[in-house]
Amino acid sequence: MPVPSKTALAARVRLFGREGMICALLALLPAGCCSFGKTACDSEVVASRQLAYRGIDALQHGRNEQAADLLKQAVAGCPSDSQARAHYAEALWQQGNIEGSLAEMRKAYDLSGRCPLLAVRLGEMHRQQNNLAEALRLADEAIATNRQTAPAWALRGHVAAQRRQIEDAISHYHRALTLEPRFPEVQFALAELYNECDRPQRALSTLLALADQFPPDEQPPRLLLGQGIAYRRLGRYRDAEERLVMAAHRGGGGTVYLQLAEVRMTLGDTAGADLAAREALAHDPACTPARDLLARLDRQLEGTSASTAALTTRGQR
């Protein structure tokens, strides 16, 4: 399989968010374990393929209702087509039909002969529903089928992280990266764990390796935010400010502005800190840390004003 280009990887992350690499793997299934026409439905398979390909294209472009309709027709025309059924499950998921999606993905998994990639996707769906035991069981099942399935190790890592089993999560993520070094979803998750655990140098190293996979002008806000947090914890406040400003310009949310406010506060830029904290509140009016920071700024300003007034009075005497 060819290595994805930087632009292709950036597009995957933009299109699918945190599930980017897992969802993108569904598009690779025709070349793998769940191909069209694997079981006997020869008379309908051509028509089913055409419907399915149109449905997949609609799904990848966010036309979820059209995708679900086309893929439902494809499945009706060839019920044993595991790939079309997997994409139909994905379309239902995007529409918010969780129960229907899980049922269809389970059928696709069974029809595929227990394809490890479908085990991972089904497990990820269960994880997002907080059914961690089933998610882990499916990850283990995928690994038992093929220990080289990097997304299955990633799923183990996600489950461990959600259970706050931090060292286990880090170990599983590293195993996934050994098998698939260019794996943005895992690199993001690993770096965020390192930042949480106050291991900023490791977080930064992970994020710098990830940054090389994107064109410089397409590095996502999440990447720049992570770098900003790591630089801040390393005491490199100017570098942190630079990354956070870039993240803000690329559509970063309230967390970006809150971090930027804290960095500017440390640098003594009270006006810039005030502006960033107010931007954080504009994104999230319930952001208590931003309100606390503004209160600190107000107290600092009052203290400065009081000191200035005292000095002026003393000078007049």
Side-chain angles (χ1 to χ4, degrees):
M1 184 185 303
V3 176
S5 68
K6 291 182 181 181
T7 300
L9 281 166
R12 278 185 189 176
V13 172
R14 284 197 304 272
L15 182 59
F16 296 113
R18 290 184 66 90
E19 301 169 36
M21 295 300 290
I22 291 179
C23 292
L25 283 168
L26 288 177
L28 303 179
L29 294 179
C33 55
C34 314
S35 57
F36 279 115
K38 187 171 181 178
T39 55
C41 54
D42 295 339
S43 60
E44 295 95 356
V45 72
V46 174
S48 178
R49 279 185 188 180
Q50 292 174 344
L51 287 165
Y53 286 143
R54 288 170 57 200
I56 292 166
D57 180 72
L59 180 62
Q60 292 179 340
H61 288 86
R63 302 192 302 272
N64 297 325
E65 186 174 346
Q66 180 188 13
D69 182 61
L70 289 166
L71 290 161
K72 182 178 181 179
Q73 293 179 58
V75 168
C78 188
S80 58
D81 181 352
S82 58
Q83 193 226 32
R85 195 176 289 274
H87 283 94
Y88 178 44
E90 196 65 42
L92 293 175
W93 183 266
Q94 297 300 328
Q95 288 186 311
N97 185 348
I98 304 304
E99 185 176 345
S101 178
L102 288 171
E104 292 297 334
M105 192 62 80
R106 166 57 67 179
K107 290 176 185 176
Y109 177 47
D110 292 339
L111 287 167
S112 73
R114 300 300 177 93
C115 168
L117 298 183
L118 290 184
V120 172
R121 183 63 189 124
L122 181 58
E124 178 62 19
M125 289 174 166
H126 279 289
R127 184 185 73 82
Q128 290 187 35
Q129 295 303 300
N130 211 34
N131 187 352
L132 300 184
E134 181 64 7
L136 182 59
R137 189 190 70 77
L138 286 159
D140 291 346
E141 200 166 290
I143 290 168
T145 302
N146 182 356
R147 294 189 64 81
Q148 306 304 306
T149 306
W153 290 98
L155 179 55
R156 272 188 176 180
H158 294 334
V159 171
Q162 206 160 329
R163 289 174 166 173
R164 307 310 297 165
Q165 298 166 345
I166 303 302
E167 293 306 319
D168 286 344
I170 289 172
S171 176
H172 295 320
Y173 287 148
H174 276 293
R175 181 61 181 269
L177 290 172
T178 299
L179 296 167
E180 180 60 65
R182 299 169 68 89
F183 203 155
E185 176 194 341
V186 171
Q187 289 164 287
F188 274 127
L190 180 59
E192 286 163 1
L193 275 185
Y194 280 142
N195 267 331
E196 286 178 26
C197 298
D198 200 23
R199 294 154 79 175
Q201 190 59 61
R202 286 186 173 271
L204 185 59
S205 297
T206 303
L207 290 166
L208 290 175
L210 176 57
D212 189 52
Q213 299 179 38
F214 296 88
D217 60 346
E218 294 187 30
Q219 292 179 0
R222 184 181 176 193
L223 171 62
L224 297 165
L225 170 62
Q227 290 179 343
I229 292 171
Y231 279 129
R232 179 189 171 200
R233 291 180 177 173
L234 288 167
R236 295 172 58 178
Y237 299 112
R238 291 296 180 190
D239 290 327
E241 183 182 29
E242 178 189 22
R243 295 305 192 280
L244 292 166
V245 168
M246 290 171 64
H249 289 165
R250 295 182 189 180
T255 302
V256 170
Y257 285 104
L258 179 61
Q259 288 288 329
L260 182 58
E262 291 284 2
V263 167
R264 285 177 170 171
M265 185 84 164
T266 303
L267 289 169
D269 179 6
T270 54
D274 183 88
L275 182 62
R278 293 185 189 282
E279 285 288 347
L281 280 175
H283 281 80
D284 179 10
C287 182
T288 301
R291 293 188 183 280
D292 291 343
L293 190 147
L294 287 170
R296 281 159 49 200
L297 284 168
D298 287 342
R299 288 194 298 272
Q300 183 175 321
L301 181 60
E302 288 170 3
T304 301
S305 298
S307 298
T308 301
L311 287 171
T312 301
T313 303
R314 194 174 305 163
Q316 289 173 345
R317 290 176 184 173

